[in-house]
């Protein structure tokens, strides 16, 4: 099976630096799916093309450990799918992770790319690749489900490789090996930054995980926790609908805000606006202020809130502001309540005192809600490896005792009372998956 990737970014031969494969050398690599050959049919300053050719032994494939194949004559050695994905992940692993010591800025920059895959199941190609910024052109091979697919776009190389890594087996609809719990982590790692926002994330997750419901449920719940996928979308993807942890967390936050009588609310570390969308639907909250350090996150929040199509009265209730929570911002003072929903664990421990000062002294709302994962509960997530945190960007995850000690200290130092609320299904020994502290100052803003 063959895949080629072409760029006209100049000098185009920089593609070799990003892939860590020299254009003047043909190289071969033994992978678990066969022998992968990397070579450059064209390498000039104006245009550079790299080719990945995978040779698969069909007999070894059938006899291999964990193989799900039973027939020696099959289409696996020729169809772009999980075999090619394994080769991509092995041969271009460093590039897929976005690392380049020599050209770090280029690795982080979208470049023009044309990717051609001559034998790919193409029925869903446009549907899955177009939302990621690709233009898709397909030439069918008669009545075959396979086609010659060309993807054209301006995309970071690492993102392009991740898109291929996930979507090739999804398009193929099958894998050559047994799908186990570790596939969830592979999916979430390769899908970080794009999968949660994809309109067909449920379809992608279902096909990537070979329709294994426990794995699909776990992956979608973890996606919801990371990027706050709409709970209705998550529930619709499951045969047995249930309320996701993300939905339960938002419900608990809104309930606590209403109990506090809050009208003017800060969403600190609002990200893509999951809580903001829930707050907007509650007429009790007359002023809603979303704050995040990331301009990209605020843009995404504005998009998901449909601010450009919102009526004037609704639009006047919402403010989005770029600001770092570890720096004092007097503009945030005077609100009834502030929410830090799944935020503190993304802050370096050494910066927590600065966050404490900016929130509890400078902004000083009458009520502060802080939610964070309970690390004790992690062992109950079947697909979360032992010792691994729930998200790669978490700087820490607290036990219930550690969270209480931090919250009690904040309350004592800043003149607040604090109580604790478990969120999600409670285990007799390990507590609930999410823990929430409700701080009350007694101040009237």
């Amino acid at each position: 099976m063959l895949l080629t990737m072409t760029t006209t970014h100049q000098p185009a031969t920089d593609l070799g630096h990003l892939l860590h494969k020299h254009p003047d050398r043909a190289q071969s690599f033994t992978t678990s799916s066969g022998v992968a050959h990397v070579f450059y049919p064209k390498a000039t300053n104006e245009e550079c093309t790299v080719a990945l050719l995978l040779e698969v032994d069909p007999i070894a494939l059938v006899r291999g450990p964990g193989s799900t194949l039973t027939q020696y004559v099959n289409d696996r050695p020729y169809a772009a799918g999980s075999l090619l994905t394994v080769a991509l992940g092995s041969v271009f692993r460093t590039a897929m992770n976005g690392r380049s010591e020599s050209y770090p800025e280029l690795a982080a920059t979208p470049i023009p790319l044309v990717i051609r895959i001559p034998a790919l199941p193409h029925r869903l190609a446009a549907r899955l690749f177009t939302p990621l910024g690709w233009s898709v052109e397909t030439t069918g091979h008669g009545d075959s489900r396979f086609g010659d697919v060309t993807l054209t776009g301006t995309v970071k190389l690492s993102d392009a490789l991740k898109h291929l890594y996930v979507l090739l087996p999804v398009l193929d609809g099958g894998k050559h090996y047994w799908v186990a719990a570790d596939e969830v982590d592979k999916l979430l790692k390769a899908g970080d930054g794009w999968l949660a926002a994809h309109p067909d994330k449920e379809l992608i997750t279902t096909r990537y995980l070979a329709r294994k419901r426990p794995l699909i449920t776990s992956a979608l719940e973890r996606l919801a926790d990371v990027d706050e996928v709409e709970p209705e979308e998550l529930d619709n993807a499951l045969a047995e609908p249930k309320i996701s942890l993300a939905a339960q967390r938002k419900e608990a936050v809104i309930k606590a805000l209403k109990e506090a009588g809050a009208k003017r609310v800060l969403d600190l570390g609002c990200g893509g606006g999951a809580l903001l969308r829930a707050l907007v639907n509650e007429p009790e909250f007359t002023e809603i202020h979303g704050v995040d350090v990331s301009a990209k996150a605020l843009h995404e929040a504005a998009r998901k809130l449909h601010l450009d199509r919102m009526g004037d009265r609704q639009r006047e209730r919402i403010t989005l502001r770029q600001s770092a929570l570890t720096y004092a911002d007097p503009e945030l003072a005077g609100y009834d309540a502030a929410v830090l929903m799944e935020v503190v664990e993304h802050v370096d421990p050494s910066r927590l005192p600065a966050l404490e000062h900016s929130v509890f002294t400078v902004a000083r709302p009458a009520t502060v809600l802080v939610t964070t994962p309970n690390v004790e509960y992690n062992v109950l997530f079947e697909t979360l490896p032992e010792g691994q945190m729930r998200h790669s960007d978490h700087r820490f995850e607290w036990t219930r005792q550690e969270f209480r000690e931090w919250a009690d200290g904040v309350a004592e130092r800043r003149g607040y009372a604090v109580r604790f609320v478990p969120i999600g299904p409670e285990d007799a020994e390990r507590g609930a998956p999410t823990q929430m502290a409700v701080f009350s100052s007694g101040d009237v803003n």
Side-chain angles (χ1 to χ4, degrees), residues 20 50 87 110 121 160 298 306 350 355 423:
H20 302 269
V50 64
L298 293 173
H306 304 295
S350 63
L355 180 146
I423 300 174

Side-chain angles (χ1 to χ4, degrees), residues 268-269 325-326 339-352 355-356 359-360 368-373 393-398 403 406-407 410 435 437 439:
L268 302 178
L325 303 186
T326 53
V339 181
L340 292 92
M341 190 172 77
E342 307 300 281
V343 170
V344 293
E345 64 273 11
H346 293 271
V347 178
D348 288 324
S350 63
R351 301 294 294 157
L352 287 177
L355 180 146
E356 176 186 329
V359 173
F360 292 89
V368 180
L369 309 182
V370 179
T371 78
T372 192
D393 189 54
H394 285 183
R395 302 317 199 247
F396 59 86
E397 289 178 356
W398 278 324
F403 184 47
W406 176 79
V410 170
Q435 45 193 344
F439 297 86

